[in-house]
Amino acid sequence: MRKNSWLQKFLYCLMVVLGAYIIYKSGCLLALESQLQKASEDGNIQRSLEDSAMRTWATAYTAAVEGKEGGNALSLWMSQIAPVFSYAVEQAESGGETDTEEMAELQEETEAETAVEDETAGSLEESAEMETVVEEKSPVEETPAQETMAGTIFAQALPQLLDYSYLLSKIYTVDADTYADAELLDADKLLSMDLGIEQDASVPQILIYHTHSQEAFADSAEGEVSDTIVGMGDILADELRSYGYNVIHDTGVYDLVDGVLDRSAAYDYAREAVTAILEEYPTIEVVIDLHRDGVSGEEGDFVTEIDGENISKIMFFNGLSRDENGDEISWLPNAYLSENLAFSLQLQVLANAEYPGFTRKIYLKEERYNLHLRARSLLIEAGTQLNTVEEEQRAMAPLANLIRQVLEM
């Protein structure tokens, strides 16, 4: 009995020593966080602990882990020490985090993300259908982001734009033969106007034409159409098509009569041609008359820099159908005057925010200039006779981007 009692005490002492040693080694592992993390990711910790336990405490370890009742004192002791190993492994797998609340939150976030991924994936057939929609509607899917950006820009600019004197000094140039009052230039009304169109590349949506097709630039090659404003229309049309719009570019000549340049009658000839195009394609919602301005001054006055490159400045132009007293010109009615003004102002405000210096002030003149043919009619003076062809070509991409943003709002 005495021998057995002494042996039993020795075994208990041995178990305590071994247990303390195991706990000490576990603490060392926890201290080596980076190494433990890597070992945990590789699965080495779990395998090492299990192998060691199986070799040393096979029966007791199994009983403790599986929660079996009964067993000897060894299995009872192991039931207390097993959670230490489990905790060590959990800490390693969570990157050494010891805050149980953070671990719980991480678990909830992971489960939520998994649920979203599972729901998004769906069946193979549904995924294929979704991919098709994305491919067909990709420009439209950018709308919320663009709408938020443009809306923010408008909101930030509005307080100043509500000041009529600010509009006349910073935004508009009013020709001496016309008059624009604060009611006509109501920035709140013009910026809040919805000019967006539903994109449908299957039908014509935008028309670009040139009342003055013979306008060229400082270094244009004689007889080279691509060096004229018509060539810039080709580039602008391609830029807009890249956003998914169906664009018609009318290259008709309206300022040459029997080989003689006649710009005074060009608007009459252009109106007839454009009216016929709009009747043939009633789905067209945007009409752009692209010009090159004729100015006096120095070349540097009409050049800006974007992304390190010289680019010609552009100017939006509105015909008000109003005389110098602000009275409407009865024989030049324009039911779309507000929409025309909104179009140019929204483009101008976006340009000032995104491409500072790219646009000159909006020019307001008394006549109509065929801007009555559609609600979104726009006359653009793109560059001047002082600009080079290359400067003008570079201007078409930012111009198209501005138009796209307004149309996608």
Side-chain angles (χ1 to χ4, degrees):
M1 291 293 293
R2 290 180 181 177
K3 291 183 179 181
N4 290 341
S5 177
W6 178 85
L7 180 60
Q8 189 176 32
K9 290 179 181 180
F10 174 79
L11 290 175
Y12 284 153
C13 289
L14 181 61
M15 286 188 291
V16 170
V17 171
L18 290 174
Y21 177 77
I22 292 171
I23 293 174
Y24 167 76
K25 293 299 290 183
S26 298
C28 292
L29 287 173
L30 287 174
L32 300 173
E33 181 178 337
S34 60
Q35 297 179 17
L36 185 61
Q37 173 69 21
K38 185 178 186 305
S40 176
E41 291 174 351
D42 295 337
N44 294 334
I45 291 177
Q46 185 73 28
R47 287 194 298 271
S48 178
L49 291 175
E50 289 179 352
D51 291 345
S52 176
M54 286 299 293
R55 289 192 304 269
T56 310
W57 315 96
T59 305
Y61 182 81
T62 302
V65 171
E66 295 182 359
K68 294 180 179 179
E69 296 182 358
N72 55 24
L74 184 58
S75 64
L76 178 63
W77 182 82
M78 283 301 303
S79 68
Q80 301 301 314
I81 200 64
V84 175
F85 293 111
S86 299
Y87 179 75
V89 174
E90 289 173 2
Q91 292 303 299
E93 291 178 345
S94 65
E97 301 263 345
T98 58
D99 191 329
T100 55
E101 291 183 1
E102 291 181 3
M103 292 173 63
E105 291 176 0
L106 180 61
Q107 177 69 16
E108 292 176 1
E109 291 175 2
T110 303
E111 292 175 353
E113 291 174 358
T114 302
V116 171
E117 292 174 355
D118 291 342
E119 182 178 353
T120 302
S123 65
L124 291 176
E125 181 178 353
E126 290 174 347
S127 296
E129 293 175 356
M130 290 170 64
E131 290 174 1
T132 301
V133 172
V134 169
E135 290 176 359
E136 294 177 353
K137 299 296 183 179
S138 55
V140 177
E141 288 182 351
E142 294 177 5
T143 299
Q146 297 297 342
E147 180 179 356
T148 300
M149 180 177 66
T152 300
I153 291 173
F154 293 166
Q156 292 173 344
L158 186 58
Q160 281 187 316
L161 298 178
L162 292 175
D163 183 349
Y164 179 63
S165 61
Y166 178 86
L167 287 175
L168 295 184
S169 64
K170 301 295 184 181
I171 303 298
Y172 294 105
T173 297
V174 183
D175 190 85
D177 292 331
T178 192
Y179 178 77
D181 58 21
E183 183 179 359
L184 187 66
L185 304 181
D186 183 347
D188 190 13
K189 172 186 174 183
L190 299 179
L191 291 182
S192 63
M193 194 172 296
D194 182 8
L195 299 176
I197 66 175
E198 229 179 280
Q199 197 175 69
D200 184 0
S202 66
V203 294
Q205 294 185 289
I206 300 175
L207 169 65
I208 299 174
Y209 73 102
H210 312 274
T211 298
H212 298 155
S213 64
Q214 303 306 299
E215 292 171 333
F217 302 94
D219 58 347
S220 296
E222 186 174 355
E224 186 64 51
V225 175
S226 62
D227 285 358
T228 68
I229 193 63
V230 175
M232 304 308 122
D234 282 335
I235 297 174
L236 179 60
D238 287 340
E239 290 287 343
L240 291 171
R241 288 176 186 130
S242 72
Y243 290 122
Y245 295 104
N246 187 325
V247 183
I248 292 180
H249 182 206
D250 173 38
T251 59
V253 177
Y254 308 115
D255 52 351
L256 279 179
V257 179
D258 297 328
V260 179
L261 188 65
D262 184 357
R263 290 179 175 166
S264 60
Y267 283 97
D268 292 329
Y269 296 130
R271 181 172 61 254
E272 294 177 4
V274 171
T275 299
I277 293 173
L278 296 179
E279 290 176 352
E280 183 178 358
Y281 303 105
T283 56
I284 293 175
E285 298 182 80
V286 180
V287 177
I288 300 172
D289 187 5
L290 189 64
H291 289 250
R292 180 232 67 196
D293 201 6
V295 298
S296 59
E298 301 294 330
E299 179 184 1
D301 297 335
F302 305 98
V303 175
T304 189
E305 186 176 295
I306 298 178
D307 295 331
E309 295 184 316
N310 287 337
I311 294 180
S312 64
K313 294 183 178 182
I314 65 170
M315 181 176 73
F316 302 118
F317 186 106
N318 285 102
L320 300 185
S321 298
R322 278 169 167 72
D323 60 23
E324 67 274 13
N325 299 315
D327 297 326
E328 294 185 19
I329 301 176
S330 59
W331 62 91
L332 295 174
N334 183 358
Y336 302 125
L337 179 58
S338 291
E339 288 85 350
N340 297 163
L341 288 169
F343 203 179
S344 61
L345 182 59
Q346 291 184 18
L347 289 167
Q348 183 81 3
V349 172
L350 283 176
N352 288 345
E354 297 188 20
Y355 307 111
F358 178 49
T359 55
R360 298 154 60 192
K361 292 194 292 184
I362 301 171
Y363 201 92
L364 305 179
K365 199 166 172 61
E366 75 279 8
E367 296 185 18
R368 187 173 60 183
Y369 303 98
N370 292 333
L371 296 174
H372 65 297
L373 299 176
R374 277 292 185 274
R376 300 170 188 80
S377 291
L378 188 65
L379 195 157
I380 305 174
E381 297 282 4
T384 73
Q385 84 280 8
L386 302 175
N387 291 113
T388 67
V389 171
E390 191 173 6
E391 290 169 348
E392 183 66 15
Q393 291 171 336
R394 293 172 183 153
M396 294 301 102
L399 175 58
N401 183 40
L402 294 172
I403 294 171
R404 187 260 309 177
Q405 290 186 60
V406 171
L407 296 183
E408 287 186 354
M409 287 185 62

